[in-house]
Amino acid sequence: MANLKEIRNRISSVSSTMQITSAMKMVSAAKLKKAQDAITAMRPYSDKLTELLQSLSATLDADSGSAYATQREVKKVLIVTITSNRGLAGAFNSNIIKEVIKMTSETYANQEVSYLAIGKKGNDAFKKTNNVIDNRSDIYDHLTFDNVAEIAEMLMDKFIAGEFDKIDIVYNKFKNAATQIVTTEQFLPIVPVEGEAANASDYVFEPSKLEIVEQLIPKSLKTQLYKGIRDSFASEHGARMTAMHKATDNATELRDQLKLTYNKARQAAITNEILEIVGGAEALNN
């Protein structure tokens, strides 16, 4: 059995860790509320804008379609990996990295795949492949629509220039504090809807549908990327709050076990001292 000093040191170390994880949990909980409100308010607008854009795009003739909807033979693919800059968030980052690796080795096994990293963890995971075209981890320092729009414009320019034939976004979609859903969305080319949802013949457009689509597409794409990053941002705080909550519970349980071990060891030491005293007294009497 470990001596009393070692056990006391372990109790002190676990208690310090517990205080840190508890503080991190409270910080993440405070940040989560703001991030959750932001994505909850934005999601209906983003979804409706995307639905409108896809419906309009589906009704356009192939020759008059936007360049952003151009379907080309997929030879070069860009995957936008949205992770966090910090760890201690459970499987939040590893789930994204695993999904991207799976896409690279299975879905795009015959294509040339490059990555755009949004978040240091994604950049650290893929920079060794030498296929990371840019690292935009700085976006979290000032997470605004304008800053994200710059990244979206860069992606649109690269698609129009033919540098990439397809661009996907992989991120954690926020469901609740304990649940994040790994989501893959096609960013470019735009995916038109099919069937009844694509029927927009009952509407009169002014100006023309083509002009509306051309003005709507850049705004929709910027909003889609901003929503993905906002979703990931809220998911990060939810995942970290949950992870720190579990870590605090585990530290509390370990501390209680160590205290019980310490008390048993202390009682054993006291018993041994009493036995030594009694034995010494008996020896003197004899």
Side-chain angles (χ1 to χ4, degrees):
M1 183 178 291
N3 61 47
L4 295 177
K5 183 178 180 180
E6 290 177 350
I7 298 176
R8 283 199 302 269
N9 290 339
R10 289 192 65 190
I11 292 175
S12 177
S13 176
V14 172
S15 297
S16 298
T17 301
M18 186 176 66
Q19 291 177 349
I20 294 172
T21 56
S22 179
M24 292 181 66
K25 171 191 170 183
M26 290 187 291
V27 170
S28 292
K31 292 182 177 180
L32 173 62
K33 180 62 171 65
K34 184 177 180 180
Q36 182 178 352
D37 291 343
I39 188 59
T40 301
M42 179 184 179
R43 193 174 286 162
Y45 170 78
S46 175
D47 292 343
K48 193 64 179 178
L49 184 62
T50 301
E51 177 187 339
L52 176 61
L53 175 63
Q54 290 178 339
S55 298
L56 287 173
S57 299
T59 62
L60 294 174
D61 297 332
D63 296 336
S64 61
S66 169
Y68 297 111
T70 303
Q71 301 288 335
R72 299 192 290 259
E73 181 182 357
V74 179
K75 296 181 180 179
K76 295 183 178 181
V77 177
L78 178 65
I79 301 178
V80 181
T81 63
I82 304 177
T83 57
S84 67
N85 287 341
R86 297 186 297 147
L88 298 178
F92 174 81
N93 291 307
S94 61
N95 286 341
I96 295 296
I97 293 170
K98 289 177 182 178
E99 179 64 21
V100 173
I101 292 175
K102 181 180 178 181
M103 291 172 61
T104 303
S105 60
E106 296 180 8
T107 308
Y108 300 125
N110 299 321
Q111 283 79 28
E112 180 183 338
V113 180
S114 300
Y115 311 99
L116 171 65
I118 297 178
K120 291 180 180 178
K121 294 302 179 180
N123 181 63
D124 292 343
F126 297 108
K127 66 181 180 181
K128 296 179 182 178
T129 65
N130 297 320
N131 290 333
V132 178
I133 65 169
D134 197 5
N135 173 23
R136 293 305 308 269
S137 304
D138 60 306
I139 197 68
Y140 292 113
D141 296 336
H142 301 284
L143 184 51
T144 63
F145 180 83
D146 290 338
N147 290 336
V148 174
E150 294 179 5
I151 301 176
E153 289 173 356
M154 181 264 288
L155 295 175
M156 289 186 279
D157 291 342
K158 288 184 177 296
F159 179 79
I160 294 297
E163 294 185 34
F164 299 103
D165 303 309
K166 187 178 180 182
I167 300 177
D168 287 339
I169 305 174
V170 183
Y171 66 96
N172 279 296
K173 185 176 183 179
F174 179 81
K175 183 176 181 181
N176 54 53
T179 306
Q180 300 81 38
I181 303 171
V182 177
T183 303
T184 301
E185 292 180 358
Q186 181 170 315
F187 186 70
L188 286 168
I190 295 170
V191 182
V193 294
E194 299 178 354
E196 294 181 1
N199 185 12
S201 58
D202 294 337
Y203 298 93
V204 176
F205 298 95
E206 181 64 35
S208 66
K209 284 188 287 186
L210 178 59
E211 292 181 66
I212 293 175
V213 167
E214 289 180 342
Q215 294 181 24
L216 198 61
I217 283 178
K219 183 175 183 179
S220 175
L221 291 173
K222 294 172 185 177
T223 303
Q224 180 185 357
L225 182 60
Y226 184 59
K227 180 183 73 71
I229 297 177
R230 271 290 177 190
D231 251 318
S232 180
F233 189 64
S235 297
E236 175 192 352
H237 292 303
R240 182 169 293 110
M241 185 185 75
T242 302
M244 291 301 100
H245 175 72
K246 292 180 179 179
T248 302
D249 290 346
N250 291 337
T252 302
E253 182 180 351
L254 180 57
R255 183 195 61 181
D256 293 342
Q257 291 175 353
L258 287 171
K259 284 185 176 181
L260 181 61
T261 302
Y262 175 81
N263 290 333
K264 288 181 178 179
R266 185 168 176 270
Q267 289 174 355
I270 293 173
T271 301
N272 288 333
E273 290 177 1
I274 292 175
L275 291 175
E276 289 176 0
I277 293 172
V278 172
E282 288 292 333
L284 291 174
N285 292 333
N286 294 330

